[in-house]
Amino acid sequence: MREIPRPSLAERTTLRLGGTAIAELVLEDAADLAALSGRLRALGGSPLILGAGSNILARDGDLPLVLVRPRFMQGPDIVGEKDGKILVRVGAGVPLPRLLRFCVAQGLSGLEGLVGIPGSVGGSVAMNAGSFGTETCKYIESIQVVNKETVRRITIDALQYGYRALSIPEEKEGFMVVEATFGLTGAARDGISNRMRHNFFEKKSKQPVTAWSAGCVFKNPAPNMPAGKLLELAGYKGKKLGGMAFSTLHANFLINEGRGSADAALTLLHEAREAVRQRFGLALEPEVRIVPCPSR
């Protein structure tokens, strides 16, 4: 286990915001998992499992957090077949774009809708990341997770997932994804590549994919009620405050223009939620994870 003192959240999140945590623990093998609980107790603070940092809004200042970075980089590997599906096993630390490139090279279809999402495999599984009608967890065969010192494999029938959420009913204290096995379908490589290319350019035309952002900041209240449209109608498309701004391309993307702060971001989010509530009577729920959470 590698330990890094006082890591910067601004250097580890795609929004480029956040203060300094107590420490960062980088996990790379089974021995690290066995030692994790003891080290967390010794350091104090609250653990924050952090993949690519693509869905995080970290507060400013000294934060009572210990970052836990699952850097399990094995795979992707084809490990068998089941019920007509080709099984692909991949470590939680593998970048999602690397898994998608593997799918193109091997002619494996199912995950094309996830193109353009910058997260890690573990993070994509844990939050059931989705795009273009594709949800990560829809294609899971099983996942390996750790809770305290216990590592176990859990099949899809024991998982509960929904819009941007994954849970394991018996894991009341939370869990960390170590690896995932997907069930994918064989298809022509050109077709898979073309669908990914189409999806990426479609996304690029409507979303600020190259900006410092954390993706969509609010969940859609309903499939036919996108948060971005509500924010736009409430006058928040392009709205700026203290170096932060709602994108002019897509109102549900909060971007850091290079000099923003978490305080400014949180103020802008609060104002936007209040504007939507007053105009439409709807309470937008954050999709981005605010850390530490407001109750702490």
Side-chain angles (χ1 to χ4, degrees), residues 105-234:
Q106 298 296 322
L108 299 173
S109 179
L111 303 180
E112 291 91 324
L114 303 183
V115 68
I117 296 176
S120 64
V121 168
S124 299
V125 171
M127 70 165 292
N128 190 23
S131 184
F132 293 106
T134 298
E135 290 187 320
T136 303
C137 292
K138 179 181 178 182
Y139 295 92
I140 287 175
E141 174 65 27
S142 66
I143 59 175
Q144 189 180 76
V145 302
V146 61
N147 182 353
K148 297 181 180 179
E149 291 89 0
T150 303
V151 181
R152 63 193 185 101
R153 185 168 295 279
I154 302 174
T155 56
I156 185 60
D157 56 329
L159 300 174
Q160 292 181 352
Y161 64 90
Y163 179 55
R164 304 299 180 264
L166 169 69
S167 64
I168 305 171
E170 61 268 34
E171 296 286 0
K172 302 301 183 184
E173 298 181 11
F175 59 91
M176 179 175 67
V177 177
V178 176
E179 68 175 30
T181 300
F182 295 90
L184 305 174
T185 304
R189 288 193 293 270
D190 286 349
I192 296 169
S193 179
N194 289 338
R195 284 191 292 275
M196 286 191 186
R197 186 178 299 109
H198 173 271
N199 289 344
F200 178 78
F201 284 108
E202 177 77 6
K203 180 171 289 190
K204 187 176 180 181
S205 71
K206 298 178 180 179
Q207 300 177 6
V209 295
T210 60
W212 288 356
S213 86
C216 290
V217 289
F218 293 114
K219 295 180 180 180
N220 295 328
N224 62 344
M225 195 180 294
K229 189 63 175 178
L230 297 174
L231 290 164
E232 182 175 350
L233 292 172

Side-chain angles (χ1 to χ4, degrees), residues 57-69:
L57 197 174
R59 297 175 186 273
D60 300 319
D62 289 330
L63 304 176
L65 300 172
V66 176
L67 309 184
V68 179
R69 303 293 298 274

Side-chain angles (χ1 to χ4, degrees), residues 23-103:
E24 177 182 62
L25 302 177
V26 183
L27 312 178
E28 296 170 312
D29 57 39
D32 293 341
L33 293 174
L36 177 60
S37 291
R39 192 62 194 134
L40 286 173
R41 285 193 297 270
L43 288 166
S46 301
L48 172 64
I49 301 168
L50 190 67
S54 59
N55 193 46
I56 298 290
L57 197 174
R59 297 175 186 273
D60 300 319
D62 289 330
L63 304 176
L65 300 172
V66 176
L67 309 184
V68 179
R69 303 293 298 274
R71 299 290 292 169
F72 304 108
M73 304 299 291
Q74 66 275 19
D77 297 306
I78 295 175
V79 294
E81 294 188 28
K82 181 179 179 182
D83 300 329
K85 301 288 186 180
I86 300 169
L87 303 181
V88 175
R89 186 175 297 166
V90 58
V94 171
L96 187 59
R98 182 169 127 191
L99 172 60
L100 297 182
R101 289 194 297 270
F102 177 85
C103 290

